[in-house]
Amino acid sequence: MLSHHDRTELEKIERNLELSDPDLAAALRDGKRPKSRALRSALLIVFAITAVTLLVLGLVLPDPGVTLCGILTLTGTVWTHVARHRI
């Protein structure tokens, strides 16, 4: 059981969290995990590296399919990056 002082301190922390980050407070209250932006950023970086690698390989190899895959991957990566920053 928490003491009166501990409960008061927890209530202060809860109010401060509500004011500073209401999305995180709602996620914690509902028991849901907040969306991870780090994972999304890491995936975008991996797709960008893959796209550039495919484009370079497409220039070296005489296969236009590799270049097309690189262009499509790069287009999707840029589109996702731009859409993410508009929100």
Side-chain angles (χ1 to χ4, degrees):
M1 194 79 187
L2 295 175
S3 68
H4 177 68
H5 174 71
D6 290 341
R7 282 193 302 264
T8 306
E9 290 298 315
L10 283 175
E11 288 171 3
K12 287 180 188 177
I13 293 171
E14 183 179 349
R15 280 187 300 238
N16 189 18
L17 183 61
E18 274 290 335
L19 293 174
S20 65
D21 194 354
D23 292 336
L24 177 61
L28 292 173
R29 185 175 42 252
D30 298 339
K32 297 179 183 176
R33 295 181 60 178
K35 295 178 182 177
S36 172
R37 291 185 180 184
L39 177 61
R40 192 177 302 160
S41 295
L43 285 175
L44 281 176
I45 290 171
V46 168
F47 281 122
I49 292 171
T50 303
V52 170
T53 303
L54 287 171
L55 286 173
V56 170
L57 282 175
L59 293 173
V60 174
L61 300 175
D63 187 8
V66 176
T67 306
L68 179 64
C69 287
I71 290 170
L72 292 175
T73 305
L74 187 60
T75 302
T77 303
V78 169
W79 179 77
T80 304
H81 181 73
V82 169
R84 186 179 85 165
H85 284 288
R86 284 191 177 179
I87 294 176

